[in-house]
Amino acid sequence: MINRNSICIIGGAGHVGAPLGLALSSKGYNVILIDKNEKNIKKINNGVMPFVEDGCAKLLKKMIYKKKIFATSQLEETKKCKYIIVCIGTPINNKFKPNLTNFFNSFHKLKKHLNKDHIIIIRSSIYPGICDKVFDIVKNYCKNLSYCPERIAQGKSLIELPKLSQIISGKNTKAKLESGKIFKKICKKIIYTEIIEAEL
């Protein structure tokens, strides 16, 4: 059974996913942080931030106490959530080419847990054409794919999220409007664009 007030973040124990999860949980959402890093998962569930991020340590303790956020390695937890935000890293090699192997693999693993009511939001840094490739992977399971790029200085997420405008793009109107709904809670302004514009 999907909980319309629940959000899961894949790559949720990292520098992009964890602060985003905390910001959303502080606005009333139930947040599940999904990650492969067992060390970070344990720290988060014990109320300890795994890295320095202004304002997050205090907020994490508060959200853990309120049972609004928890971390796990279990991908099937996505079945409980309406919104699935993907924050998988896309690091570049010494030739400045992004490594998208883990990124694409995450969608191949995720697709068997998807249904038509999910809203999938890509938050990772990607280049033009990547959303189309992701859509080809998930379209037989869920067509609500959105791309909402992140452009926040590391360590300043909770400070910058409310100040910066957020670009929202999607494969359909439902994906755009649903993604806009959650980001309106934490961002100053929403800018709706086409996916290719957001990727650029």
Side-chain angles (χ1 to χ4, degrees), residues 12 14-24 49 51 53 56 59 157-158 161:
H15 285 277
V16 175
L20 177 63
L22 283 170
L24 290 166
M49 277 300 288
F51 43 81
E53 187 77 37
C56 281
L59 184 57
S157 293
L158 292 184
L161 262 172

Side-chain angles (χ1 to χ4, degrees), residues 107-108 110-118 120 135-144:
F107 288 100
H108 283 292
L110 174 64
K111 66 184 181 184
K112 63 184 177 184
H113 301 298
L114 294 173
N115 65 57
K116 63 180 177 60
D117 295 319
H118 277 124
I120 309 163
F135 190 67
D136 285 342
I137 296 170
V138 303
K139 66 184 179 184
N140 292 332
Y141 307 86
C142 177
K143 291 183 168 32
N144 306 316

Side-chain angles (χ1 to χ4, degrees), residues 5 33 100 115 200:
N5 201 42
L33 305 174
L100 297 172
N115 65 57
L200 281 165

Side-chain angles (χ1 to χ4, degrees), residues 75-93:
L75 194 59
E76 56 266 28
E77 289 287 336
T78 52
K79 291 178 182 177
K80 300 175 184 175
C81 302
K82 179 178 181 180
Y83 303 96
I84 301 170
I85 304 177
V86 178
C87 297
I88 301 290
T90 52
I92 55 171
N93 62 21

Side-chain angles (χ1 to χ4, degrees), residues 14 16 21 39-40 52 65 72 75 81 83 87 107 122 124 131 166 174 185 191 200:
V16 175
K39 193 176 174 182
N40 282 6
V52 176
Y65 177 76
T72 178
L75 194 59
C81 302
Y83 303 96
C87 297
F107 288 100
I122 298 173
S124 304
C131 283
Q166 175 63 54
K174 181 179 179 180
K185 301 251 188 181
I191 301 169
L200 281 165

Side-chain angles (χ1 to χ4, degrees), residues 6-69:
S6 285
I7 298 170
C8 68
I9 302 178
I10 298 172
H15 285 277
V16 175
L20 177 63
L22 283 170
L24 290 166
S25 67
S26 74
K27 298 299 180 183
Y29 288 102
N30 300 309
V31 176
I32 302 171
L33 305 174
I34 300 174
D35 208 283
K36 291 191 292 187
N37 190 322
E38 295 286 355
K39 193 176 174 182
N40 282 6
I41 287 170
K42 192 173 181 181
K43 281 185 176 181
I44 288 168
N45 288 335
N46 285 325
V48 178
M49 277 300 288
F51 43 81
V52 176
E53 187 77 37
D54 288 356
C56 281
K58 187 177 178 182
L59 184 57
L60 175 61
K61 284 185 171 68
K62 187 178 177 182
M63 292 301 108
I64 289 285
Y65 177 76
K66 287 187 169 186
K67 293 185 167 62
K68 297 303 288 181
I69 195 166

